[in-house]
Amino acid sequence: MRPWAGVIAAYRDRLALPEGTPDCTLLEGNTPLVPSVALQRSLPGNLAIFFKYEGLNPTGSFKDRGMVVAFARALARKARVCLCASTGNTAASAAAYAARSGLRCIVLLPEGSIARGKLAQAAMHGATIVSISGPFDNAMRMAQELVRQRPEIELVNSVNPFRIEGQKTAAFEISDTLGDAPDFHFLPVGNAGNITAYWKGYREYADAGRIARLPRMVGFQAAGAAPIVEGRVIPDPQTVASAIRIGNPASWKGALAAASDSGGWFGSVTDDEILDAYQFLAREEGLFVEPASAAGVAGLRKVAAQGRIPPGSHIVITLTGHGLKDPDMAARVAAPKPISIGPTLAELVHAIEG
Ligand code: AN7
């Protein structure tokens, strides 16, 4: 068996990349498709549920799949500086690949709502961090305005088509592992690049004869930040799931097409539902994800209770980012209280039985 060498090496012939494009891989991709135990048991209808655990990518989120391709392209056109607006994970990923590739990285972050782990990553990798007042959407607009004025800067947000190219490889991996596409694919939606990318990947695999069916794509937004569900820009999006606190998604059209062409749909889940699913995954499945990543699970629980999922369905849910990204939220919901004792067995026995 050849060792895993990253998504470009694994799927180069299926990526729209010019010949000879350099690879700057951190060996992203090849993440586990973990079968559910507790979620499956808790829902009716003998569902077969799998988690695509994207938190195990090199920087702890799915963004690395697209970032490696965006950087391959940036290196091919000899860019020296990359730029992104981000709710945190794109920034962490861009900063890591920039460090690897010798580019300067500038990240524009919405002030005050970036999870601590993500900010630490961007800083550790040496990015220039600019904090912009208002929601992510302000930062996104300013990133686009800046590259219009300075076209030599490489914009590595998912409006960059090479990001979508890379991210579609998750659909390939799922299909390769299961031997076909699932019946349903659930995932959280923020800027809407990922749902667009998955749908592209599944369609291309079907066209190539690698899968016999296509999944219904089901996207979930946080109730306070659900522009696609409500069909309007949300000027002041609010949710505890900071990664998806986005009011005007860049890939809005692609997301709508993915849901409608696949026979899927969009829904929203409240912060309480997100935090319930977040804790359920950690306590019952052994999977620690960040709050936004639990939105797809919260969504499945909701629609399964409404009887919208046929018995026996195969379902994949993408868990987009690792729980360690947002240690403050974990501390808030789990409130760790270690029992302090001296180093004696009597005290230990008392502590664990008390
Ligand atoms: C954990 O990092 O938009 O719908 O700037 O970090 O493709 O945007 C992150 C998004 C889901 C939503 N889960 O994906 C950013 C950013 C996590 C995320 C999403 C994000 P998209």
Side-chain angles (χ1 to χ4, degrees):
M1 215 176 86
R2 272 187 302 148
W4 181 257
V7 298
I8 293 180
Y11 295 109
R12 186 183 274 275
D13 56 340
R14 298 189 187 281
L15 301 175
L17 264 180
E19 195 61 29
T21 309
D23 194 346
C24 48
T25 188
L26 285 166
L27 307 188
E28 61 294 313
N30 196 26
T31 56
L33 189 65
V34 183
S36 154
V37 179
L39 182 61
Q40 211 163 277
R41 205 162 47 211
S42 74
L43 297 175
N46 281 321
L47 305 177
I49 303 171
F50 300 87
F51 301 110
K52 186 63 171 164
Y53 194 28
E54 290 286 273
L56 292 197
N57 275 296
T59 76
S61 87
F62 70 98
K63 303 287 183 182
D64 297 340
R65 292 178 183 278
M67 205 56 76
V68 69
V69 180
F71 271 79
R73 175 64 189 165
L75 288 171
R77 56 167 283 225
K78 307 220 177 333
R80 300 298 314 145
V81 182
C82 74
L83 170 74
C84 67
S86 179
T87 57
N89 279 326
T90 299
S93 183
Y97 284 88
R100 182 103 177 156
S101 313
L103 269 71
R104 177 172 180 211
C105 181
I106 304 168
V107 303
L108 310 187
L109 308 180
E111 191 161 12
S113 63
I114 302 299
R116 201 147 51 95
K118 303 174 190 179
L119 199 55
Q121 287 178 288
M124 278 301 290
H125 292 303
T128 301
I129 302 172
V130 184
S131 178
I132 296 178
S133 59
F136 164 81
D137 309 277
N138 284 358
M140 187 71 238
R141 179 176 49 75
M142 291 191 59
Q144 286 172 304
E145 282 175 16
L146 184 62
V147 290
R148 232 170 281 137
Q149 195 189 84
R150 306 261 180 98
E152 71 279 9
I153 297 178
E154 192 80 2
L155 183 64
V156 295
N157 278 105
S158 57
V159 291
N160 178 332
F162 295 97
R163 281 276 314 279
I164 304 291
E165 278 305 292
Q167 281 175 214
K168 77 184 182 189
T169 60
F172 297 164
E173 289 179 14
I174 290 165
S175 303
D176 288 341
T177 304
L178 295 178
D180 205 341
D183 299 303
F184 292 88
H185 191 123
F186 281 67
L187 75 171
V189 172
N191 218 17
N194 212 25
I195 191 168
T196 304
Y198 268 104
W199 181 235
K200 187 168 196 277
Y202 283 124
R203 270 185 303 134
E204 288 178 3
Y205 243 33
D207 289 345
R210 305 273 310 187
I211 50 177
R213 60 183 173 195
L214 286 167
R216 294 173 175 230
M217 301 299 304
V218 187
F220 273 89
Q221 301 198 288
I228 300 177
V229 179
E230 295 186 29
R232 66 182 179 99
V233 171
I234 307 294
D236 183 23
Q238 293 298 339
T239 170
V240 291
S242 59
I244 53 172
R245 192 155 89 78
I246 294 175
N248 188 12
S251 298
W252 197 319
K253 280 199 194 123
L256 283 178
S260 64
D261 294 353
S262 72
W265 67 90
F266 278 91
S268 65
V269 281
T270 64
D271 280 359
D272 283 349
E273 289 167 334
I274 289 172
L275 292 179
D276 272 357
Y278 171 63
Q279 289 175 89
F280 180 89
L281 281 168
R283 298 184 74 114
E284 311 291 335
E285 295 279 11
L287 294 170
F288 186 25
V289 303
E290 63 173 289
S293 301
V297 175
L300 174 61
R301 289 170 117 191
K302 191 168 188 165
V303 299
Q306 294 164 348
R308 292 177 77 173
I309 306 296
S313 293
H314 284 60
I315 300 170
V316 170
I317 312 177
T318 304
L319 304 179
T320 45
H322 203 284
L324 292 170
K325 292 272 188 178
D326 194 348
D328 297 313
M329 189 59 66
R332 201 173 110 188
V333 305
K337 286 195 197 70
I339 305 165
S340 288
I341 59 166
T344 70
L345 187 58
E347 282 177 274
L348 175 57
V349 168
H350 179 76
I352 63 175
E353 287 179 348

